[in-house]
Coordinates of all heavy atoms in Angstrom, one line a residue:
Q54 N -7.3 -4.9 14.9 CA -5.9 -5.4 14.6 C -5.0 -4.3 14.2 O -5.4 -3.5 13.4 CB -6.0 -6.5 13.5 CG -4.6 -7.1 13.1 CD -4.7 -7.9 11.8 OE1 -4.7 -7.3 10.7 NE2 -4.7 -9.2 12.0
L56 N -1.0 -3.3 13.0 CA 0.4 -3.7 12.6 C 1.2 -2.4 12.3 O 0.6 -1.4 12.0 CB 0.3 -4.5 11.3 CG -0.5 -5.9 11.4 CD1 -0.6 -6.5 10.1 CD2 0.2 -6.8 12.4
D58 N 4.7 -0.8 10.2 CA 5.5 -1.0 9.0 C 4.9 -2.1 8.2 O 5.6 -3.1 7.8 CB 7.0 -1.3 9.4 CG 7.9 -1.2 8.2 OD1 7.7 -0.4 7.3 OD2 9.0 -1.9 8.2
A59 N 3.6 -2.0 7.9 CA 2.9 -3.1 7.3 C 2.8 -3.0 5.8 O 2.5 -1.9 5.3 CB 1.5 -3.1 7.9
P60 N 3.1 -4.0 5.1 CA 3.0 -4.0 3.6 C 1.6 -3.7 3.1 O 0.6 -4.2 3.6 CB 3.4 -5.4 3.2 CG 4.2 -6.0 4.3 CD 3.5 -5.3 5.6
L61 N 1.5 -2.7 2.2 CA 0.3 -2.4 1.6 C 0.1 -3.0 0.2 O -1.1 -3.2 -0.3 CB 0.1 -0.9 1.4 CG 0.0 -0.1 2.8 CD1 -0.1 1.4 2.5 CD2 -1.3 -0.5 3.5
A62 N 1.2 -3.3 -0.5 CA 1.1 -3.9 -1.8 C 0.2 -5.1 -1.9 O -0.7 -5.2 -2.9 CB 2.5 -4.2 -2.4
P63 N 0.2 -6.0 -1.0 CA -0.7 -7.2 -1.1 C -2.2 -6.8 -0.9 O -3.1 -7.6 -1.2 CB -0.3 -8.1 0.1 CG 1.1 -7.7 0.4 CD 1.1 -6.2 0.2
L64 N -2.5 -5.6 -0.5 CA -3.9 -5.2 -0.3 C -4.4 -4.5 -1.5 O -5.5 -4.0 -1.5 CB -4.0 -4.3 0.9 CG -3.5 -4.9 2.3 CD1 -3.8 -3.9 3.4 CD2 -4.3 -6.2 2.6
T65 N -3.6 -4.4 -2.6 CA -4.0 -3.7 -3.8 C -4.0 -4.7 -5.0 O -3.2 -5.6 -5.0 CB -3.1 -2.5 -4.2 OG1 -1.8 -3.0 -4.6 CG2 -2.8 -1.6 -2.9
T66 N -4.8 -4.4 -6.0 CA -4.8 -5.3 -7.1 C -3.6 -5.1 -8.0 O -3.2 -6.0 -8.8 CB -6.1 -5.1 -8.0 OG1 -6.2 -3.7 -8.3 CG2 -7.3 -5.6 -7.2
F67 N -2.9 -3.9 -7.9 CA -1.7 -3.7 -8.6 C -0.5 -4.5 -8.0 O 0.5 -4.7 -8.6 CB -1.3 -2.2 -8.6 CG -1.7 -1.5 -9.8 CD1 -2.5 -0.3 -9.7 CD2 -1.3 -1.9 -11.1 CE1 -2.9 0.4 -10.8 CE2 -1.7 -1.1 -12.2 CZ -2.5 0.0 -12.1
R68 N -0.7 -4.8 -6.7 CA 0.4 -5.4 -5.9 C 1.7 -4.5 -5.9 O 2.8 -5.0 -6.0 CB 0.8 -6.8 -6.4 CG -0.4 -7.8 -6.3 CD -0.1 -9.1 -7.1 NE -1.1 -10.1 -6.9 CZ -2.3 -10.1 -7.4 NH1 -2.7 -9.2 -8.3 NH2 -3.2 -11.1 -7.2
L69 N 1.4 -3.2 -5.7 CA 2.5 -2.2 -5.7 C 2.3 -1.3 -4.5 O 1.3 -1.1 -3.9 CB 2.4 -1.4 -7.0 CG 2.6 -2.0 -8.3 CD1 2.4 -1.0 -9.5 CD2 4.1 -2.6 -8.4
G70 N 3.5 -0.7 -4.2 CA 3.5 0.3 -3.1 C 4.2 -0.1 -1.9 O 4.4 -1.3 -1.6
G71 N 4.7 0.9 -1.2 CA 5.5 0.6 0.0 C 4.6 0.4 1.2 O 3.4 0.4 1.1
P72 N 5.2 0.3 2.4 CA 4.4 0.0 3.6 C 3.7 1.2 4.2 O 4.1 2.3 4.0 CB 5.5 -0.6 4.6 CG 6.7 0.2 4.2 CD 6.6 0.3 2.7
A73 N 2.8 0.9 5.1 CA 2.2 1.9 5.9 C 2.9 1.9 7.3 O 3.3 0.9 7.8 CB 0.7 1.6 6.2
A74 N 3.1 3.1 7.8 CA 3.7 3.2 9.1 C 2.8 2.4 10.2 O 3.4 1.8 11.1 CB 3.8 4.7 9.6
R75 N 1.5 2.4 9.9 CA 0.6 1.7 10.8 C -0.6 1.3 10.0 O -1.2 2.0 9.2 CB 0.2 2.7 11.9 CG -0.8 2.2 13.0 CD -1.2 3.3 13.9 NE -2.0 3.0 15.0 CZ -3.1 3.7 15.4 NH1 -3.4 4.8 14.7 NH2 -3.8 3.3 16.4
L76 N -1.0 0.0 10.3 CA -2.2 -0.5 9.6 C -3.2 -1.0 10.6 O -2.9 -1.9 11.4 CB -1.8 -1.6 8.6 CG -2.9 -2.4 7.9 CD1 -3.7 -1.5 7.0 CD2 -2.3 -3.6 7.2
L77 N -4.4 -0.5 10.5 CA -5.5 -1.0 11.3 C -6.5 -1.7 10.5 O -6.7 -1.3 9.3 CB -6.2 0.2 12.0 CG -5.4 1.1 12.9 CD1 -6.3 2.2 13.5 CD2 -4.7 0.3 14.0
T78 N -7.1 -2.8 11.0 CA -8.1 -3.5 10.3 C -9.4 -3.5 11.1 O -9.4 -4.0 12.2 CB -7.7 -5.0 10.0 OG1 -6.5 -5.0 9.1 CG2 -8.8 -5.7 9.2
A79 N -10.4 -2.9 10.6 CA -11.7 -2.7 11.3 C -12.7 -3.7 10.7 O -12.9 -3.8 9.5 CB -12.2 -1.3 11.2
L100 N -5.3 6.9 5.6 CA -5.6 6.3 4.2 C -6.6 5.2 4.4 O -6.4 4.3 5.2 CB -4.3 5.7 3.6 CG -4.5 4.9 2.4 CD1 -5.0 5.7 1.2 CD2 -3.2 4.2 2.0
I101 N -7.8 5.3 3.7 CA -8.8 4.3 3.8 C -8.5 3.2 2.7 O -8.3 3.6 1.5 CB -10.2 4.9 3.6 CG1 -10.5 5.9 4.7 CG2 -11.2 3.8 3.6 CD1 -10.5 5.4 6.1
V102 N -8.5 2.0 3.1 CA -8.3 0.9 2.1 C -9.5 -0.1 2.2 O -9.8 -0.6 3.2 CB -7.0 0.1 2.5 CG1 -6.7 -1.0 1.5 CG2 -5.8 1.1 2.5
G103 N -10.0 -0.3 1.0 CA -11.1 -1.3 0.9 C -10.6 -2.5 0.2 O -9.8 -3.2 0.7
G104 N -11.1 -2.6 -1.1 CA -10.6 -3.8 -1.9 C -9.3 -3.5 -2.6 O -8.7 -4.4 -3.2
G105 N -8.8 -2.3 -2.5 CA -7.5 -2.0 -3.1 C -7.4 -2.0 -4.6 O -6.4 -2.0 -5.2
S106 N -8.6 -2.0 -5.3 CA -8.6 -2.1 -6.7 C -8.5 -0.7 -7.4 O -8.5 -0.6 -8.6 CB -9.9 -2.7 -7.2 OG -11.1 -2.0 -6.8
N107 N -8.4 0.4 -6.6 CA -8.4 1.7 -7.2 C -7.3 2.5 -6.6 O -7.4 3.8 -6.6 CB -9.8 2.4 -7.1 CG -10.0 3.5 -8.1 OD1 -9.7 3.3 -9.3 ND2 -10.4 4.6 -7.7
L108 N -6.2 1.9 -6.1 CA -5.2 2.6 -5.4 C -3.8 2.4 -6.1 O -3.5 1.3 -6.5 CB -5.0 2.0 -4.0 CG -6.0 2.4 -2.9 CD1 -5.7 1.8 -1.6 CD2 -6.1 4.0 -2.8
V109 N -3.1 3.5 -6.3 CA -1.8 3.5 -6.7 C -0.9 4.1 -5.6 O -1.0 5.3 -5.4 CB -1.6 4.3 -8.0 CG1 -0.1 4.3 -8.4 CG2 -2.4 3.7 -9.2
I110 N -0.2 3.3 -4.9 CA 0.5 3.7 -3.7 C 2.0 3.9 -4.0 O 2.6 3.0 -4.7 CB 0.3 2.7 -2.5 CG1 -1.2 2.7 -2.1 CG2 1.2 3.1 -1.3 CD1 -1.5 1.6 -1.1
F115 N 3.2 4.8 2.9 CA 2.3 5.8 3.5 C 2.7 6.1 5.0 O 2.7 5.2 5.8 CB 0.8 5.4 3.5 CG -0.1 6.4 4.0 CD1 -0.4 7.5 3.3 CD2 -0.8 6.1 5.2 CE1 -1.3 8.4 3.8 CE2 -1.7 7.0 5.7 CZ -2.0 8.2 5.0
T118 N -1.5 6.4 9.2 CA -2.4 5.2 9.5 C -3.2 4.8 8.3 O -4.0 5.6 7.8 CB -3.3 5.5 10.7 OG1 -2.5 5.7 11.9 CG2 -4.2 4.3 11.0
A119 N -3.0 3.6 7.9 CA -3.9 3.0 6.8 C -5.0 2.2 7.6 O -4.7 1.4 8.4 CB -3.1 2.1 5.9
L120 N -6.2 2.5 7.2 CA -7.4 1.8 7.9 C -8.0 0.9 6.8 O -8.6 1.4 5.9 CB -8.4 2.8 8.4 CG -9.7 2.2 9.0 CD1 -9.4 1.2 10.1 CD2 -10.6 3.3 9.4
R121 N -7.9 -0.4 7.0 CA -8.5 -1.4 6.1 C -9.9 -1.7 6.6 O -10.1 -2.1 7.7 CB -7.7 -2.6 6.0 CG -8.3 -3.7 5.1 CD -7.3 -4.9 4.9 NE -7.9 -6.0 4.3 CZ -8.4 -7.1 4.9 NH1 -8.3 -7.2 6.2 NH2 -9.0 -8.0 4.2
I122 N -10.9 -1.4 5.8 CA -12.3 -1.7 6.2 C -12.7 -3.1 5.7 O -12.8 -3.3 4.5 CB -13.2 -0.6 5.5 CG1 -12.8 0.8 6.1 CG2 -14.7 -0.9 5.8 CD1 -13.7 1.9 5.6
A123 N -12.9 -3.9 6.7 CA -13.2 -5.3 6.4 C -14.5 -5.7 7.0 O -14.7 -6.8 7.5 CB -12.1 -6.2 7.0
L141 N -17.3 -7.7 -0.5 CA -16.8 -7.8 -1.9 C -17.9 -7.5 -2.9 O -18.9 -8.2 -2.9 CB -16.2 -9.2 -2.2 CG -14.9 -9.5 -1.5 CD1 -14.5 -11.0 -1.8 CD2 -13.8 -8.6 -1.9
P164 N -13.7 -5.6 -9.5 CA -13.0 -5.9 -8.2 C -13.2 -4.7 -7.2 O -13.6 -3.6 -7.6 CB -11.5 -6.0 -8.6 CG -11.4 -5.2 -9.8 CD -12.7 -5.3 -10.5
G165 N -13.0 -5.0 -6.0 CA -13.1 -4.0 -5.0 C -14.3 -4.2 -4.0 O -15.0 -5.2 -4.1
S166 N -14.5 -3.3 -3.1 CA -15.5 -3.4 -2.1 C -16.7 -2.5 -2.4 O -16.6 -1.6 -3.2 CB -14.9 -3.0 -0.7 OG -14.4 -1.6 -0.8
A169 N -16.6 1.4 -2.0 CA -15.9 2.2 -3.0 C -16.9 2.6 -4.1 O -16.7 3.5 -4.9 CB -14.7 1.5 -3.6
L279 N -10.2 -10.5 -11.8 CA -9.0 -10.8 -11.1 C -8.7 -12.3 -11.2 O -9.5 -13.2 -11.0 CB -9.2 -10.5 -9.6 CG -9.3 -9.0 -9.3 CD1 -9.4 -8.8 -7.8 CD2 -8.0 -8.2 -9.8
W287 N -3.3 -7.8 -13.0 CA -2.6 -7.1 -12.0 C -2.6 -5.6 -12.3 O -1.6 -5.0 -12.7 CB -1.1 -7.6 -11.9 CG -1.0 -9.0 -11.3 CD1 -1.9 -10.0 -11.4 CD2 0.1 -9.5 -10.5 NE1 -1.4 -11.1 -10.8 CE2 -0.2 -10.8 -10.2 CE3 1.3 -8.9 -10.1 CZ2 0.7 -11.6 -9.5 CZ3 2.2 -9.7 -9.3 CH2 1.9 -11.0 -9.0
S288 N -3.8 -5.0 -12.2 CA -4.0 -3.7 -12.6 C -5.1 -3.0 -11.8 O -5.6 -3.6 -10.8 CB -4.5 -3.7 -14.1 OG -5.9 -4.2 -14.2
A289 N -5.5 -1.8 -12.2 CA -6.6 -1.2 -11.5 C -7.8 -1.1 -12.5 O -8.7 -0.2 -12.4 CB -6.2 0.2 -11.1
N364 N 1.1 -4.6 -13.9 CA 2.4 -5.0 -13.3 C 2.6 -6.4 -13.7 O 1.9 -7.3 -13.4 CB 2.2 -4.9 -11.7 CG 3.3 -5.6 -11.0 OD1 4.4 -5.9 -11.5 ND2 3.1 -5.8 -9.7
V399 N -1.5 7.8 -4.1 CA -1.2 8.0 -2.7 C 0.3 8.2 -2.6 O 1.1 7.3 -2.9 CB -1.6 6.8 -1.8 CG1 -1.2 7.0 -0.4 CG2 -3.1 6.5 -1.9

Side-chain angles (χ1 to χ4, degrees):
Q54 182 190 76
L56 299 173
D58 196 27
L61 291 177
L64 302 182
T65 73
T66 53
F67 264 125
R68 296 167 173 80
L69 294 176
R75 179 185 185 223
L76 173 64
L77 303 178
T78 299
L100 171 65
I101 301 296
V102 180
S106 62
N107 204 46
L108 285 178
V109 177
I110 299 172
F115 183 69
T118 296
L120 174 60
R121 178 171 172 259
I122 297 182
L141 288 178
S166 61
L279 292 180
W287 290 32
S288 74
N364 169 13
V399 179

